[in-house]
Amino acid sequence: MKNSLFLYLTILAVLSTVFTYMFLSKQVVFEQTRYEKTTKKLRDSLSLVSNQLVDANYFSLEKNENAQNYFDTTSANKTIQYEKLIPFVTEKLLDLNANLKGNPYTGQDQISTNKFIINKVKILNHRWIIADYSDGEIWGEVLLKYFVNEDKSISFEVNQSLLYQK
């Protein structure tokens, strides 16, 4: 009786060990497979987002070599670094928001008690800017031309402006 009890306990211990080993080895393989699938999915998502960012920045001075070359000529007085030009032009345009009647380059006169100000600016190339503006209630977009003058000042011209319906 005592021997059969030890035999049953030994068989139970061996079976328990075998089942535990099998479970843990399968779990490791499962976790590795899940990790690989997740990593692949994340890489695909990152690649997709990167491609979308490249597409979104297609029309931008940062990515347009032809527009960049416009400022980098053999004439020393026309050479401007576009990396410094982008924040400079943006700042000059946003500084005009302080005007009492609103930013004059929204292409809109003040409609209500609030003035139109430019919120977001994207410099498309060496000549065009697209900007988003609002008065807090009405939103619109404007296409501007900008010019870098001989004295390195910036001048703007409204090309076209539109307001969205409420």
Side-chain angles (χ1 to χ4, degrees), residues 89-104:
V89 170
T90 301
E91 180 182 330
K92 291 295 181 192
L93 187 57
L94 293 177
D95 285 347
L96 296 168
N97 285 344
N99 192 334
L100 292 176
K101 296 211 180 232
N103 195 315

mmCIF file of all heavy atoms in Angstrom, residues 89-104:
data_model
loop_
_atom_site.group_PDB
_atom_site.id
_atom_site.type_symbol
_atom_site.label_atom_id
_atom_site.label_comp_id
_atom_site.label_asym_id
_atom_site.label_seq_id
_atom_site.Cartn_x
_atom_site.Cartn_y
_atom_site.Cartn_z
ATOM 1 N N VAL A 89 9.050 84.833 -41.866
ATOM 2 C CA VAL A 89 7.840 85.207 -42.616
ATOM 3 C C VAL A 89 6.595 84.920 -41.778
ATOM 4 O O VAL A 89 5.673 85.737 -41.703
ATOM 5 C CB VAL A 89 7.788 84.465 -43.969
ATOM 6 C CG1 VAL A 89 6.440 84.642 -44.640
ATOM 7 C CG2 VAL A 89 8.902 84.940 -44.873
ATOM 8 N N THR A 90 6.571 83.773 -41.138
ATOM 9 C CA THR A 90 5.428 83.410 -40.288
ATOM 10 C C THR A 90 5.250 84.424 -39.171
ATOM 11 O O THR A 90 4.130 84.886 -38.906
ATOM 12 C CB THR A 90 5.637 81.996 -39.705
ATOM 13 O OG1 THR A 90 5.778 81.075 -40.778
ATOM 14 C CG2 THR A 90 4.464 81.582 -38.842
ATOM 15 N N GLU A 91 6.334 84.799 -38.533
ATOM 16 C CA GLU A 91 6.263 85.770 -37.433
ATOM 17 C C GLU A 91 5.775 87.125 -37.925
ATOM 18 O O GLU A 91 4.932 87.761 -37.285
ATOM 19 C CB GLU A 91 7.650 85.908 -36.798
ATOM 20 C CG GLU A 91 7.690 86.879 -35.642
ATOM 21 C CD GLU A 91 9.097 87.028 -35.081
ATOM 22 O OE1 GLU A 91 9.877 86.062 -35.145
ATOM 23 O OE2 GLU A 91 9.399 88.127 -34.581
ATOM 24 N N LYS A 92 6.270 87.581 -39.070
ATOM 25 C CA LYS A 92 5.843 88.879 -39.621
ATOM 26 C C LYS A 92 4.346 88.866 -39.941
ATOM 27 O O LYS A 92 3.647 89.845 -39.689
ATOM 28 C CB LYS A 92 6.642 89.232 -40.881
ATOM 29 C CG LYS A 92 8.075 89.554 -40.610
ATOM 30 C CD LYS A 92 8.188 90.802 -39.772
ATOM 31 C CE LYS A 92 9.636 91.135 -39.522
ATOM 32 N NZ LYS A 92 9.817 92.155 -38.507
ATOM 33 N N LEU A 93 3.865 87.767 -40.475
ATOM 34 C CA LEU A 93 2.446 87.675 -40.810
ATOM 35 C C LEU A 93 1.588 87.625 -39.544
ATOM 36 O O LEU A 93 0.549 88.286 -39.465
ATOM 37 C CB LEU A 93 2.187 86.445 -41.686
ATOM 38 C CG LEU A 93 0.789 86.292 -42.262
ATOM 39 C CD1 LEU A 93 0.392 87.516 -43.085
ATOM 40 C CD2 LEU A 93 0.721 85.052 -43.131
ATOM 41 N N LEU A 94 2.012 86.877 -38.551
ATOM 42 C CA LEU A 94 1.247 86.784 -37.300
ATOM 43 C C LEU A 94 1.327 88.068 -36.478
ATOM 44 O O LEU A 94 0.403 88.367 -35.721
ATOM 45 C CB LEU A 94 1.717 85.587 -36.481
ATOM 46 C CG LEU A 94 1.420 84.215 -37.085
ATOM 47 C CD1 LEU A 94 2.000 83.108 -36.218
ATOM 48 C CD2 LEU A 94 -0.064 84.006 -37.295
ATOM 49 N N ASP A 95 2.400 88.831 -36.630
ATOM 50 C CA ASP A 95 2.509 90.123 -35.931
ATOM 51 C C ASP A 95 1.420 91.084 -36.372
ATOM 52 O O ASP A 95 1.004 91.962 -35.605
ATOM 53 C CB ASP A 95 3.885 90.756 -36.165
ATOM 54 C CG ASP A 95 4.976 90.083 -35.361
ATOM 55 O OD1 ASP A 95 4.644 89.296 -34.434
ATOM 56 O OD2 ASP A 95 6.170 90.331 -35.651
ATOM 57 N N LEU A 96 0.933 90.924 -37.591
ATOM 58 C CA LEU A 96 -0.123 91.802 -38.102
ATOM 59 C C LEU A 96 -1.470 91.524 -37.446
ATOM 60 O O LEU A 96 -2.420 92.295 -37.622
ATOM 61 C CB LEU A 96 -0.217 91.665 -39.620
ATOM 62 C CG LEU A 96 1.032 92.135 -40.374
ATOM 63 C CD1 LEU A 96 0.977 91.703 -41.827
ATOM 64 C CD2 LEU A 96 1.190 93.640 -40.269
ATOM 65 N N ASN A 97 -1.575 90.459 -36.651
ATOM 66 C CA ASN A 97 -2.806 90.184 -35.908
ATOM 67 C C ASN A 97 -3.078 91.242 -34.858
ATOM 68 O O ASN A 97 -4.200 91.399 -34.405
ATOM 69 C CB ASN A 97 -2.732 88.813 -35.229
ATOM 70 C CG ASN A 97 -2.901 87.677 -36.206
ATOM 71 O OD1 ASN A 97 -3.364 87.858 -37.327
ATOM 72 N ND2 ASN A 97 -2.518 86.487 -35.788
ATOM 73 N N ALA A 98 -2.056 91.985 -34.453
ATOM 74 C CA ALA A 98 -2.210 93.012 -33.425
ATOM 75 C C ALA A 98 -2.915 94.258 -33.949
ATOM 76 O O ALA A 98 -3.309 95.129 -33.160
ATOM 77 C CB ALA A 98 -0.839 93.381 -32.860
ATOM 78 N N ASN A 99 -3.112 94.357 -35.240
ATOM 79 C CA ASN A 99 -3.808 95.491 -35.840
ATOM 80 C C ASN A 99 -5.212 95.609 -35.231
ATOM 81 O O ASN A 99 -5.892 94.606 -35.020
ATOM 82 C CB ASN A 99 -3.885 95.273 -37.352
ATOM 83 C CG ASN A 99 -4.325 96.498 -38.106
ATOM 84 O OD1 ASN A 99 -5.005 97.355 -37.568
ATOM 85 N ND2 ASN A 99 -3.928 96.560 -39.360
ATOM 86 N N LEU A 100 -5.655 96.817 -34.959
ATOM 87 C CA LEU A 100 -6.961 97.034 -34.306
ATOM 88 C C LEU A 100 -8.137 96.498 -35.122
ATOM 89 O O LEU A 100 -9.144 96.077 -34.575
ATOM 90 C CB LEU A 100 -7.162 98.519 -34.022
ATOM 91 C CG LEU A 100 -6.233 99.114 -32.959
ATOM 92 C CD1 LEU A 100 -6.452 100.615 -32.843
ATOM 93 C CD2 LEU A 100 -6.428 98.423 -31.632
ATOM 94 N N LYS A 101 -8.033 96.523 -36.428
ATOM 95 C CA LYS A 101 -9.121 96.032 -37.275
ATOM 96 C C LYS A 101 -8.894 94.593 -37.714
ATOM 97 O O LYS A 101 -9.592 94.091 -38.576
ATOM 98 C CB LYS A 101 -9.264 96.931 -38.500
ATOM 99 C CG LYS A 101 -9.673 98.338 -38.145
ATOM 100 C CD LYS A 101 -10.480 98.924 -39.245
ATOM 101 C CE LYS A 101 -10.863 100.329 -38.855
ATOM 102 N NZ LYS A 101 -12.240 100.575 -38.967
ATOM 103 N N GLY A 102 -7.909 93.944 -37.140
ATOM 104 C CA GLY A 102 -7.601 92.566 -37.503
ATOM 105 C C GLY A 102 -6.476 92.513 -38.507
ATOM 106 O O GLY A 102 -5.977 93.535 -38.980
ATOM 107 N N ASN A 103 -6.081 91.323 -38.845
ATOM 108 C CA ASN A 103 -4.993 91.143 -39.797
ATOM 109 C C ASN A 103 -5.483 91.552 -41.187
ATOM 110 O O ASN A 103 -6.460 90.995 -41.689
ATOM 111 C CB ASN A 103 -4.535 89.684 -39.788
ATOM 112 C CG ASN A 103 -3.209 89.494 -40.461
ATOM 113 O OD1 ASN A 103 -2.968 90.028 -41.536
ATOM 114 N ND2 ASN A 103 -2.341 88.730 -39.831
ATOM 115 N N PRO A 104 -4.818 92.524 -41.826
ATOM 116 C CA PRO A 104 -5.291 92.984 -43.139
ATOM 117 C C PRO A 104 -5.125 91.944 -44.246
ATOM 118 O O PRO A 104 -5.722 92.085 -45.308
ATOM 119 C CB PRO A 104 -4.414 94.209 -43.414
ATOM 120 C CG PRO A 104 -3.197 94.025 -42.591
ATOM 121 C CD PRO A 104 -3.625 93.240 -41.386
#
